[in-house]
Amino acid sequence: MGVLPRTLPDPWRSPLRGPRFTAVLGLVLLVGMTLLFVTGLLSYAAYNPNLAAVNDKTPGKGLLGFYLFSWPTDPHWLYRLTQGLHVTVGVALVPVLLAKLWSVVPKLFTLPPARSIGHALERLSLLLLVGGALFEFVTGILNVQLDYLFPGSFYPLHFYGAWVFISAFIVHAVLRVPQALRVLRERKAGLPETGELVPAKPAEPTVSRRGAFAMVGAGSLLLLVTTAGQSIGGVWRSTALLAPHGGADPGTGPGRFQINKTAAVAGIRTADTGEPWRLVVTGPKGAVHRLTRDDLLQLPQHTSALPIACVEGWSTDDQHWSGVRLRDLAALAGTDGDTDVFVESLQQHGAFRKAALRHNQVHDPRSLLALRVNGADLTLDHGYPARVIVPAAPGVLNTKWVARMTFGAL
Amino acid sequence: MNRLSRWYGESPLQLPLLAASFALAGYAGVRLLENDPWAVAVWFVGAALVHDLLLVPVYSLADVAAQKALGDRSRRTTMYVRVPAFLSGLLLLVWFPLITRARADHFALVTGHSGDAFLPRWLLLTAALFAASALWFVAVTFLAPASPWRQARRARREERARERERERQRRKETKERPPSDH
């Protein structure tokens, strides 16, 4: 048996690699990933999962729901902002994450695989960090494109995956941020770059570090510009060339704005939405009202300018809805107008064909059972004959094709 | 104690931190794996493996191949290919389900959008990126006064002028040489 060489020929020759390159990318991700995690937690809170089982896609959350709170209705664009940031920033961070992983990939192949128990444990933690980050990005990016390849429901995968990721992320940040700041201070002081990421035999550079950062930044900018318009709306929607809800709005006339699920896919039959349709309103004392659409139009009508904002990150501009205030319907049902409501749709398919709204949402004067939008009757795709619209609530809680509303404490 | 810390090999802060982290990861991980443990574990670990063992080698080799193909000029011209290819590839990587129309019919049915718009948009964006890069290359190479192409042309002219001057000098010397040297 021949004598093994003391060091393996080093295939990692890019002169870009080094602790300073990694440190800059790491600090960008420190801010970016923290923002993604916080906005993700807010999105879960926005569903009011503790209000009713139908709102909660991760009922086994246990202590991971420790922070939940009643989702407010002000400002009315709150969910547009938090979820728009979550998805848009997530998409724009893809090149930063890839560059960061590229910068440390030689460490994956270091030999021996572990030099001590502590090192072995840290590497196991890095598997959770890298696997968790990629798992979250892949599930999120597939979900916003409605390509549900992943094994199971999106909500538990993305929510629990986020907690596995963040557990490793916090440790990594505590252990590495001081080091990142140190190597950047050393650069400022003009000291030479040292460390295990510096290639032993660097190749001729084909791009400067500044050029590499510019390339990553250009990638983020391009993704941002071709995505953000689906959340910002207005004329910017036309710049969102590759975002799922960018480009021209679907439909025509007053109902021309983004649709989460069409009537066709929700299994709405026109027979159910026509003349025989009745809204069933019930209260805690057993009062039952069956209202036709004309009955509803006879009740005091109010107008609210509110957006639709989806968990997938897209949203619409404020649309002008008109209809009956939820609190008026709550009063009709024999409550004081400040109570929860359980809403059921005609929908035959869809995870949110039943949804619960909290008393602060019912009580808000802008919350409506909308009958019309932008001066015309609702279109079938936007929930004709009647739909819920609540300020700052995630889109799926604004139930379309409403069939029954049950007021009372849930 | 000293032997123990040598054997553990890392700072004393690391162990309690990692223990807390693994406990939290375990608490969430049990829930993550609840429904389909094998498939989820494959996705979780597989995401890291596919990235490190497939994506990184593929784009690294593509980069090396492009440099080889550009030959001697590669140091000056690589970036004009690398940047638009990177940007176009990045868009494809993020939006491939829409671009490849993997579930275009489903997408159209659900959202009311056509699922066919994304492939042409990506192709046009790719064309625009490469065209912009080519224009930039032309501008830097041929138009700028300090461009390498202009500098090379100037150098060639000066070289030809020097060559003519040397030729004239040689003829003159030949003519003036005394006959005994023939």
Side-chain angles (χ1 to χ4, degrees), chain A residues 205-355:
Chain A
T206 56
V207 57
S208 64
R209 280 229 173 125
R210 193 169 296 216
F213 283 132
M215 231 168 107
V216 174
S220 285
L221 190 67
L222 181 65
L223 284 165
L224 184 74
V225 167
T226 52
T227 306
Q230 71 166 348
S231 313
I232 299 168
V235 293
W236 297 105
R237 191 173 302 281
S238 58
T239 64
L241 290 171
L242 292 173
H245 285 260
D249 279 315
T252 52
R256 185 174 178 187
F257 55 94
Q258 299 297 315
I259 300 161
N260 182 42
K261 279 192 176 57
T262 58
V265 85
I268 299 299
R269 295 174 299 221
T270 42
D272 298 336
T273 60
E275 189 50 37
W277 179 81
R278 296 287 182 277
L279 175 70
V280 180
V281 177
T282 60
K285 298 186 190 93
V288 180
H289 298 268
R290 290 174 193 280
L291 304 167
T292 65
R293 198 161 185 281
D294 282 337
D295 294 337
L296 288 166
L297 284 164
Q298 295 306 311
L299 295 172
Q301 302 291 299
H302 295 271
T303 302
S304 310
L306 296 172
I308 303 280
C310 184
V311 70
E312 293 158 12
W314 57 268
S315 54
T316 71
D317 297 313
D318 288 353
Q319 308 296 325
H320 296 270
W321 310 90
S322 67
V324 184
R325 278 181 176 156
L326 294 188
R327 67 185 189 190
D328 291 351
L329 289 171
L332 184 74
T335 74
D336 62 0
D338 192 9
T339 183
D340 308 329
V341 66
F342 186 75
V343 185
E344 294 164 78
S345 171
L346 294 170
Q347 264 178 271
Q348 318 214 359
H349 321 289
F352 285 91
R353 58 187 186 277
K354 295 173 185 172

Side-chain angles (χ1 to χ4, degrees), chain A residues 15-365:
Chain A
L16 286 178
R17 285 204 184 86
R20 292 172 190 172
F21 186 68
T22 299
V24 171
L25 296 166
L27 291 174
V28 174
L29 288 177
L30 175 69
V31 177
M33 295 296 212
T34 305
L35 178 77
L36 295 188
F37 184 68
V38 170
T39 49
L41 291 190
L42 288 178
S43 180
Y44 183 49
Y47 279 72
N48 281 328
N50 280 349
L51 179 62
V54 290
N55 286 24
D56 195 0
K57 299 302 165 194
T58 50
K61 60 193 177 293
L63 296 174
L64 302 179
F66 74 93
Y67 69 92
L68 292 172
F69 55 94
S70 294
W71 188 249
T73 55
D74 271 305
H76 70 275
W77 39 261
L78 181 62
Y79 193 67
R80 261 193 103 177
L81 177 72
T82 61
Q83 198 57 15
L85 279 175
H86 184 75
V87 172
T88 311
V89 172
V91 167
L93 279 178
V94 167
V96 184
L97 178 67
L98 292 180
K100 170 70 165 65
L101 293 177
W102 176 84
S103 80
V104 294
V105 82
K107 285 193 171 192
L108 184 71
F109 300 95
T110 49
L111 291 172
R115 50 175 192 263
S116 64
I117 298 288
H119 187 227
L121 289 177
E122 189 169 342
R123 293 200 74 175
L124 181 61
S125 178
L126 288 175
L127 175 66
L128 298 182
L129 181 77
V130 175
L134 291 168
F135 183 80
E136 289 300 284
F137 272 76
V138 169
T139 51
I141 286 171
L142 286 175
N143 187 63
V144 303
Q145 298 176 71
L146 316 184
D147 198 356
Y148 311 124
L149 283 170
F150 35 76
S153 163
F154 172 71
Y155 289 93
L157 293 180
H158 205 64
F159 180 70
Y160 295 133
W163 279 102
V164 173
F165 164 75
I166 206 72
S167 66
F169 181 74
I170 292 169
V171 172
H172 192 65
V174 171
L175 294 176
R176 294 297 185 206
V177 167
Q179 192 184 345
L181 295 174
R182 196 189 67 232
V183 298
L184 294 180
R185 271 200 308 274
E186 285 172 2
R187 178 185 172 275
K188 241 181 175 173
L191 296 168
E193 191 173 28
T194 56
E196 56 181 334
L197 285 171
V198 178
K201 291 173 236 146
E204 280 285 297
T206 56
V207 57
S208 64
R209 280 229 173 125
R210 193 169 296 216
F213 283 132
M215 231 168 107
V216 174
S220 285
L221 190 67
L222 181 65
L223 284 165
L224 184 74
V225 167
T226 52
T227 306
Q230 71 166 348
S231 313
I232 299 168
V235 293
W236 297 105
R237 191 173 302 281
S238 58
T239 64
L241 290 171
L242 292 173
H245 285 260
D249 279 315
T252 52
R256 185 174 178 187
F257 55 94
Q258 299 297 315
I259 300 161
N260 182 42
K261 279 192 176 57
T262 58
V265 85
I268 299 299
R269 295 174 299 221
T270 42
D272 298 336
T273 60
E275 189 50 37
W277 179 81
R278 296 287 182 277
L279 175 70
V280 180
V281 177
T282 60
K285 298 186 190 93
V288 180
H289 298 268
R290 290 174 193 280
L291 304 167
T292 65
R293 198 161 185 281
D294 282 337
D295 294 337
L296 288 166
L297 284 164
Q298 295 306 311
L299 295 172
Q301 302 291 299
H302 295 271
T303 302
S304 310
L306 296 172
I308 303 280
C310 184
V311 70
E312 293 158 12
W314 57 268
S315 54
T316 71
D317 297 313
D318 288 353
Q319 308 296 325
H320 296 270
W321 310 90
S322 67
V324 184
R325 278 181 176 156
L326 294 188
R327 67 185 189 190
D328 291 351
L329 289 171
L332 184 74
T335 74
D336 62 0
D338 192 9
T339 183
D340 308 329
V341 66
F342 186 75
V343 185
E344 294 164 78
S345 171
L346 294 170
Q347 264 178 271
Q348 318 214 359
H349 321 289
F352 285 91
R353 58 187 186 277
K354 295 173 185 172
L357 298 170
R358 193 168 253 134
H359 56 86
N360 65 317
Q361 295 172 314
V362 172
H363 192 64
D364 193 296

Side-chain angles (χ1 to χ4, degrees), chain A residues 60 63 118 145 206 241 258 262, chain B residues 8 31 82 94 109 113 121:
Chain A
L63 296 174
Q145 298 176 71
T206 56
L241 290 171
Q258 299 297 315
T262 58
Chain B
Y8 184 69
R31 289 160 171 78
R82 191 189 261 160
V94 172
L109 184 66
H113 279 281
R121 283 184 200 162

